[in-house]
């Protein structure tokens, strides 16, 4: 067993754990945007905060093991793997998305949400589309 395979395995594991939360959090935002009950809103605030803070370390560890995997392959490989450059661009968008979830969390926490449940339904689809593109790039490794 090589270090490269350990890094890759941990990268995939933490990515799956991260996405479990990233897929569910906007769904909580949908429910939160729909509710007018104070008790329900209070419960959703707790759930949203706990979920986002629970999955954030997974996002960090995904990046750590992704960088270690790239380092293990080496600089020349990285330079010539253009598919990876596109993948990393999409990954950066995911981290921006993740960061924006903190802003939305704060808006709900302080009862400042201005968006409808329909916005959050669409917002929920964005990481799904990014993940599809990232997986296709990682598996197919097209010559771009």
């Amino acid at each position: 067993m090589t270090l490269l395979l350990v890094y890759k395995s941990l990268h995939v594991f933490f990515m799956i754990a991260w996405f479990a939360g990233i897929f569910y959090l906007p769904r909580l935002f949908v429910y939160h945007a729909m509710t007018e009950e104070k008790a329900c809103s209070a419960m959703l605030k707790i759930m949203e905060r706990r979920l986002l803070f629970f999955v954030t370390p997974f996002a960090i560890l995904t990046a750590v093991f992704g960088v270690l995997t790239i380092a293990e392959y080496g600089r020349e490989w990285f330079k010539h793997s253009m598919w990876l450059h596109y993948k990393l661009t999409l990954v950066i968008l995911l981290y921006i998305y993740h960061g924006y979830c903190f802003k939305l969390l704060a808006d709900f926490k302080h009862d400042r949400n201005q968006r409808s449940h329909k916005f959050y339904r669409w917002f929920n689809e964005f990481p799904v589309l990014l993940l599809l593109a990232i997986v296709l790039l990682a598996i197919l490794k097209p010559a771009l």
Side-chain angles (χ1 to χ4, degrees):
M1 177 168 57
T2 67
L3 209 50
L4 175 63
L5 293 178
V6 172
Y7 292 158
K8 275 184 171 182
S9 299
L10 290 172
H11 174 68
V12 170
F13 171 79
F14 287 116
M15 184 270 311
I16 291 168
W18 176 29
F19 268 87
I22 285 299
F23 287 160
Y24 189 55
L25 181 64
R27 179 58 43 190
L28 292 176
F29 291 159
V30 169
Y31 301 143
H32 203 155
M34 291 173 64
T35 191
E36 294 181 13
E37 296 177 33
K38 294 285 184 196
C40 184
S41 178
M43 181 186 63
L44 287 165
K45 287 176 185 180
I46 292 168
M47 292 173 66
E48 292 158 356
R49 181 179 50 80
R50 286 183 179 170
L51 180 59
L52 188 54
F53 282 93
F54 179 73
V55 300
T56 295
F58 298 146
I60 294 165
L61 290 167
T62 298
V64 166
F65 287 106
V67 168
L68 288 172
T69 299
I70 291 169
E72 199 66 25
Y73 272 109
R75 185 174 299 199
E76 279 302 308
W77 173 83
F78 178 73
K79 190 167 92 174
H80 292 94
S81 298
M82 287 309 297
W83 65 269
L84 182 58
H85 296 229
Y86 289 103
K87 176 190 170 202
L88 291 174
T89 300
L90 297 175
V91 168
I92 289 168
L93 288 175
L94 278 171
Y95 281 98
I96 292 168
Y97 178 95
H98 188 100
Y100 187 63
C101 286
F102 278 98
K103 187 251 188 252
L104 297 173
L105 182 75
D107 287 347
F108 278 114
K109 177 182 177 181
H110 299 293
D111 298 317
R112 294 187 310 234
N113 177 53
Q114 299 294 317
R115 303 197 184 267
S116 73
H117 66 93
K118 289 180 184 177
F119 168 81
Y120 292 109
R121 289 179 193 278
W122 286 105
F123 184 73
N124 194 42
E125 302 306 320
F126 186 67
V128 175
L129 298 173
L130 285 178
L131 180 61
L132 174 62
I134 289 167
V135 169
L136 287 172
L137 286 168
I139 300 296
L140 299 176
K141 296 176 179 40
L144 302 169

